[in-house]
Amino acid sequence: MIFLKGLTFILFNALPGFLIPFGLKMLLFHPREKKWLFGKPVPLTPGLAPRYKVQLIDKLEALLSEYLHDCHSEDPASRISKWEKEAYGKAWDKLAFIDKAQILTQHMKDGLRHSLALIVFEAVKQFFRSFVPFLMERYEVEKYIDLVDEKLDLATIETYYRRYIYKYMLYFFLAVSALIGVANMLYYIIIQ
């Protein structure tokens, strides 16, 4: 009878070994949509994967929209304006060797250095404000974002998760829990 009571330790210890991976799977993938209870949203709904999939697609669309807006904006605080100023500054610093030329006057050196740095500035400006948007339009980047949204199917991801992660995590946690249960059972039998 003591041995049968000791076997219950294995069962009680195996239960958390099953519940931890199962709970993690449920937290990641279920439910797929937001749930409401008495007019209030239920916490952790939808699951993390559906929630972050929507956030990822929204973020990609927002980044594309912001970049295209920055391309047409002359605001000095825009991201592209900062890149242009940074390119000008780096070109100015790299062209410091011009100051060592002894043939030219300081005014000519500064003018030459400014002109070459301005060429780099204009090249960067044309690249980021004209060429990159041209490529985005040419290769229809918006459609690729829609394609990512379509192909990032949560059912497929969950199938791979169950096949390659959940199964092995469940085996590991069950094995560790069962070993702890056996140790508890032996300890219980010894002290009885």
Side-chain angles (χ1 to χ4, degrees):
M1 187 66 170
I2 292 174
F3 182 74
L4 290 177
K5 285 182 182 178
L7 285 177
T8 59
F9 283 105
I10 296 174
L11 292 175
F12 283 125
N13 282 311
L15 185 63
F18 170 76
L19 289 177
I20 291 171
F22 181 76
L24 184 60
K25 181 180 80 163
M26 295 304 287
L27 180 70
L28 286 173
F29 295 104
H30 297 285
R32 298 222 190 256
E33 61 277 334
K34 192 153 200 67
K35 300 288 183 184
W36 300 85
L37 185 63
F38 305 118
K40 303 277 185 187
V42 177
L44 298 176
T45 61
L48 294 177
R51 183 180 321 152
Y52 287 130
K53 177 192 173 194
V54 170
Q55 288 180 358
L56 172 70
I57 299 302
D58 290 346
K59 184 69 173 174
L60 288 174
E61 289 172 347
L63 283 173
L64 180 64
S65 174
E66 287 173 13
Y67 183 81
L68 291 174
H69 174 70
D70 284 349
C71 287
H72 303 295
S73 172
E74 293 296 328
D75 181 21
S78 73
R79 183 179 356 187
I80 295 177
S81 295
K82 290 178 184 175
W83 293 341
E84 293 165 351
K85 288 176 192 170
E86 186 177 327
Y88 179 85
K90 285 185 178 181
W92 180 267
D93 293 341
K94 293 286 184 186
L95 294 169
F97 68 90
I98 294 176
D99 284 340
K100 296 176 184 170
Q102 304 215 355
I103 302 172
L104 305 172
T105 66
Q106 188 61 38
H107 179 69
M108 292 171 70
K109 292 176 191 176
D110 289 342
L112 180 61
R113 195 171 172 191
H114 173 70
S115 297
L116 292 175
L118 199 56
I119 289 171
V120 171
F121 174 84
E122 286 298 325
V124 168
K125 182 176 182 177
Q126 290 301 317
F127 180 78
F128 285 120
R129 292 186 187 265
S130 298
F131 186 65
V132 172
F134 167 75
L135 289 177
M136 288 179 172
E137 183 180 327
R138 171 91 165 82
Y139 292 109
E140 300 172 338
V141 174
E142 298 92 6
K143 288 186 180 179
Y144 286 109
I145 293 174
D146 294 336
L147 184 65
V148 167
D149 187 19
E150 179 184 320
K151 295 294 183 183
L152 199 59
D153 183 32
L154 291 175
T156 306
I157 293 171
E158 185 178 2
T159 302
Y160 282 111
Y161 175 80
R162 276 189 275 124
R163 186 180 301 158
Y164 297 113
I165 298 172
Y166 175 71
K167 180 171 69 170
Y168 298 110
M169 191 183 332
L170 184 65
Y171 292 157
F172 173 76
F173 277 100
L174 283 176
V176 169
S177 298
L179 289 174
I180 292 171
V182 168
N184 287 338
M185 179 185 78
L186 291 175
Y187 181 72
Y188 176 75
I189 292 172
I190 290 172
I191 64 168
Q192 283 297 326

